[in-house]
Amino acid sequence: MILRSAKGLLLALCFMTHTAIAAPAATTADKPMAVLIYADWCYNCKMLLPRLAPLELAYADRVLFTRLNVTDEAAKARTREQAMDLGIGPLYFNNRGTGVVLLVNRQLEKVGELRYTLSDEQMRAALDALAAGQPIPALVPAPPAAAP
């Protein structure tokens, strides 16, 4: 394959390595984001990734899906820069786990999370609300009230 420009080469490399292209630093975003915090060794990530693939396709025009890799120190260094470029540095630095998808609105505020324990319907409801700028529905049922 012959690439005719530096941009074409960059896009090809990103596609081949599944690396997201970071947007310039911003205080607002064109689209809300679904940000997967993952590591190669993370069991929850391995359970979540195959379920996210069809959602990424279905919501690509309304939600930016990106991944922040925290597998090792080298990946974390790249990810810190990527998070800052996306305008979500504080969310990245305050996050303490993997296997979670942070739902980030256009004002770059965390408004919810997706986890592998949610049903596909719950994930779609959350993404629909995120894309529409609406509050994210309660995704985990509240425990039953204690009997008197």
Side-chain angles (χ1 to χ4, degrees), residues 48-125:
L48 189 56
L49 279 170
R51 295 182 56 212
L52 285 178
L55 296 173
E56 287 184 51
L57 292 174
Y59 289 88
D61 60 331
R62 298 182 289 159
V63 176
L64 172 66
F65 283 79
T66 190
R67 298 176 185 173
L68 299 179
N69 183 353
V70 296
T71 299
D72 55 32
E73 290 307 314
K76 286 179 187 177
R78 290 187 301 274
T79 294
R80 281 189 289 274
E81 290 181 32
Q82 181 183 1
M84 295 301 289
D85 288 344
L86 287 168
I88 57 170
L91 295 178
Y92 169 73
F93 293 117
N94 290 327
N95 185 67
R96 298 287 176 238
T98 59
V100 61
V101 177
L102 307 178
L103 301 178
V104 181
N105 66 16
R106 287 179 179 88
Q107 291 73 42
L108 304 175
E109 302 163 328
K110 178 183 167 187
V111 294
E113 294 181 351
L114 299 181
R115 295 187 178 268
Y116 85 94
T117 54
L118 298 175
S119 70
D120 291 344
E121 293 78 24
Q122 288 173 311
M123 289 186 189
R124 287 185 182 280

